[in-house]
């Protein structure tokens, strides 16, 4: 999840994902799978504490693109 949030919030390409967040191919594959199966949509619609709503809005906008 951190890798997906990082890419959506920074706008960096998947290959530039910091290695501390995991292999970019695996993270990108998970992102695509979560888009297809509705997981990301559920994450974007879940009510979160105020401090997490900023990245949630960015993620929702990214997945709508």
């Amino acid at each position: 999840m951190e890798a997906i949030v990082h890419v959506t919030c920074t706008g960096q390409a998947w290959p530039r994902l910091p290695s501390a967040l995991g292999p970019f191919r695996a993270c990108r594959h998970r992102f695509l799978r979560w888009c297809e199966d509705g997981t990301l949509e559920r994450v974007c619609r879940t009510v979160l504490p105020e401090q997490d709503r900023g990245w949630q809005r960015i993620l929702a906008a990214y997945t709508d693109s």
Side-chain angles (χ1 to χ4, degrees), residues 9-28:
C9 288
T10 65
Q12 288 184 336
W14 284 102
R16 297 194 62 213
L17 185 69
S19 61
L21 296 177
F24 85 87
R25 284 186 174 93
C27 294
R28 185 174 184 277

Side-chain angles (χ1 to χ4, degrees), residues 7 12 14 21 38 40-42 48-50 52 57 61-62:
V7 168
Q12 288 184 336
W14 284 102
L21 296 177
L40 276 181
E41 184 174 340
R42 287 190 302 276
L48 295 176
E50 184 60 39
D52 292 327
R57 282 189 294 275
Y62 184 85

Side-chain angles (χ1 to χ4, degrees), residues 1-8 27 30 34 40 43-44 55 59:
M1 186 62 171
E2 287 183 58
I4 294 169
V5 171
H6 174 81
V7 168
T8 59
C27 294
R30 184 171 296 116
W34 287 1
L40 276 181
V43 167
C44 292
W55 68 258
L59 180 60

